[in-house]
Amino acid sequence: MVSEEGMDQFADRLSAAITAGIQAGELGEDTSGMPAGFVLVATYYDSTGDMRTALTVNNGARTHETLGLLALGTAVWEDEARAWVRGE
């Protein structure tokens, strides 16, 4: 089990990466913005080849914010999937 301190450090690194992406113009045209919140759901293989799932959110995230971001991500993903199926 990962410590809370370890998860906080991981969240800080993700926030820094989001900040760098904003400043580089990789996330939109406004390069002066700043991260507000995020939810990361990722899978990875551990050293034995077993699939693992990682879930983290920005430091200080509240449950309703996290659930809202997950719901938004699901809606966007489903819409993108429909467009892909239609060839749009």
Side-chain angles (χ1 to χ4, degrees):
M1 185 77 170
V2 177
S3 70
E4 188 173 333
E5 181 180 342
M7 291 304 291
D8 286 348
Q9 291 170 349
F10 185 54
D12 288 344
R13 282 198 307 279
L14 289 173
S15 288
I18 293 168
T19 298
I22 292 168
Q23 292 171 346
E26 299 165 343
L27 299 178
E29 295 176 10
D30 184 352
T31 59
S32 298
M34 60 184 268
F38 62 83
V39 174
L40 171 74
V41 180
T43 58
Y44 66 96
Y45 294 102
D46 68 11
S47 62
T48 65
D50 287 338
M51 174 86 61
R52 303 290 181 187
T53 301
L55 170 66
T56 193
V57 299
N58 56 291
N59 291 334
R62 295 186 173 90
T63 301
H64 69 281
E65 293 168 337
T66 300
L67 293 175
L69 285 170
L70 284 170
L72 176 61
T74 299
V76 169
W77 183 87
E78 289 172 349
D79 188 54
E80 291 290 325
R82 279 190 288 276
W84 177 79
V85 168
R86 291 184 197 127
E88 298 172 354

